[in-house]
Amino acid sequence: MTARHESSYSFCFVAVATLFVTCLLVSNVIAVKLVAIQGLLLPAAIVIFPISYLLADVLTEVYGYRAARRVIWLGFFCNLLAVAAIWIGGLLPAAAFWSDQSAYDKILGATPRILLASFLAYLVGEFTNTMIMSRLKLATAGRHLWARAIGSTLVGQGLDSAVFISIAFFGLMPLTTLLGTILTQWLVKSAYEALATPLTYAIVGFLKRRERIDTYDRGISFNPFAFGE
């Protein structure tokens, strides 16, 4: 099976890309809530954010790194638009009878430091994940999808957790607590996707049969900013 021309995006590709962006946007909204699960302190985004890595693996495995790169940047700019819209919404004068401005600001507002941490962690984690996934596919001749998906996630999620927690909370909590938080988030997110491996296999298998496509990224640029390559 070979890739169709890149400008011909199918419904399935658009559906996966849309789900990816949705997972990202929802994660950033619900991440404000911290939950305690079996003694572990985690953001509520844990319920859906790891799915974005699963979908990035699917995009890379089926459509290739270049297609995944476009979707990752699409997610970035959609998130930027959402943040801008939320910020402008907070600045608009509230109706006289609406008394929830403080709740709006507390839940939806974010400090520049948190936003910077979130944006950088997303780009570093997602691009690292997709690059490793693509290179491992070449190295293994397309075999061992489970190892490639889990391996790329371990690195990508590790960098995501390290970058976000370090930038967002360095100096605000003891170093041992900060390192423990990074480790906890990394392990939980990675375990989440490992358990979802059968779902990855199911989606990849369906798309390859439906699209009649199986992309190998030979001779391409892995530069995240090489949009035209």
Side-chain angles (χ1 to χ4, degrees), residues 66-127:
R66 287 181 290 188
R69 176 170 54 199
R70 294 186 179 119
V71 175
I72 291 172
W73 279 114
L74 176 63
F76 177 84
F77 288 114
C78 285
N79 189 34
L80 190 62
L81 175 61
V83 168
I86 290 170
W87 177 68
I88 293 172
L91 293 179
L92 294 175
F97 59 85
W98 195 68
S99 59
D100 296 321
Q101 182 66 40
S102 60
Y104 180 99
D105 294 335
K106 185 174 183 179
I107 298 300
L108 296 179
T111 65
R113 182 174 178 176
I114 295 294
L115 290 177
L116 176 63
S118 176
F119 285 138
L120 288 180
Y122 165 75
L123 291 176
V124 171
E126 291 288 359
F127 275 116

Side-chain angles (χ1 to χ4, degrees), residues 156-188:
Q157 290 281 19
L159 289 173
D160 181 282
S161 299
V163 171
F164 177 76
I165 298 298
S166 298
I167 295 177
F169 301 111
F170 184 79
L172 301 178
M173 61 174 66
L175 182 59
T176 53
T177 302
L178 185 143
L179 293 176
T181 302
I182 292 173
L183 181 62
T184 298
Q185 290 209 32
W186 174 51
L187 292 177
V188 171

Side-chain angles (χ1 to χ4, degrees), residues 6 65-67 69-70 219-229:
E6 288 187 15
Y65 174 79
R66 287 181 290 188
R69 176 170 54 199
R70 294 186 179 119
I220 71 164
S221 170
F222 285 94
N223 181 351
F225 303 99
F227 300 107
E229 299 181 24

Side-chain angles (χ1 to χ4, degrees), residues 17-76:
T18 301
L19 287 173
F20 175 90
V21 174
T22 300
C23 288
L24 174 65
L25 296 181
V26 173
S27 295
N28 287 334
V29 172
I30 67 175
V32 67
K33 180 178 179 178
L34 295 177
V35 299
I37 302 175
Q38 298 296 315
L40 300 177
L41 186 64
L42 299 164
I46 193 66
V47 301
I48 194 170
F49 182 69
I51 297 176
S52 70
Y53 274 75
L54 184 156
L55 294 172
D57 288 346
V58 169
L59 287 167
T60 308
E61 174 68 17
V62 179
Y63 302 98
Y65 174 79
R66 287 181 290 188
R69 176 170 54 199
R70 294 186 179 119
V71 175
I72 291 172
W73 279 114
L74 176 63
F76 177 84

